Amino acid sequence: RDQRFKEEWLKYYRELPNNLTLCLICDPANEKKIKRTGLDYTVYWLWGLDGSGNKFWLDCVRDKLNLTERWKALKKFKKKYPNSRIPFPINVVGYEQYGMAADIQHYEEMMGIEGFYFNIIELGGNKLSKEDRIVRLVPSFEQGKVYFPEKGILYETKDGRVVDLVETFIQEEFLRFPFCKHDDMLDAASRIEDKVMETISPHDDGYEYEELGESFDDRFFHRQSQPESYGEDPWTGYCWLYRDWE
């Protein structure tokens, strides 16, 4: 079976379903992981799951963060949702098992100091290689069950660069796997397929997608050519991006 992800599998959403279960996947680049793999990007990937088995990529962090910065980014994610644009709370925070203990100890200390508490579950109980973990995403993409935000995800890195993480993911990882230099985002995204995540019950938004026909494509579709423009959501302050991909 061809393990490579295909560009024709990419699908995008303009609007989100009425109800989603939000799952935040955390893959930290702590000292142990850097020594073991040489990779130093921390990735926080936010999935939204609906009742029909669809996965919506909602938000993301990909940056070189130390322990203090990882806590601040994680807390920011928890506080960001729900909001006027995405009115759902983060239901589950899953954290990569490798090197998790030191991070969690610091987080629990900070929760006590700041009075901001939430539960974190451990991910990574399987013995699969990274490549085998990642290819678990292939069926979802191939079956058209994964949707990216049409407007991209703009993120300002520690060094002040503004990047579109959707474009970064597609060009640097998705289309180059398994020969990509970095696969941190693919690995983080793949954790939604961990067995522990099967216990999560996604919301049913009431839509029968197979019967919607063309009306379904008004909200969820393959990338269409759009003029490039930037803007900011007046309620949340989030930046958004339109980009002509042709």
Side-chain angles (χ1 to χ4, degrees), residues 28 34 36 95 102 118 159 173 195 205 207 222 225 245:
I34 293 171
R36 180 173 62 96
Y95 213 85
F118 54 91
D159 58 10
E173 298 193 18
K195 194 170 185 62
D205 65 8
Y207 285 101
H222 294 280
S225 177
W245 287 68

Side-chain angles (χ1 to χ4, degrees), residues 144-166:
K145 292 289 189 178
V146 180
Y147 295 89
F148 293 172
E150 176 195 10
K151 297 176 181 179
I153 298 174
L154 287 187
Y155 176 76
E156 184 174 355
T157 64
K158 284 176 58 177
D159 58 10
R161 295 179 299 113
V162 177
V163 296
D164 179 3
L165 291 180
V166 174

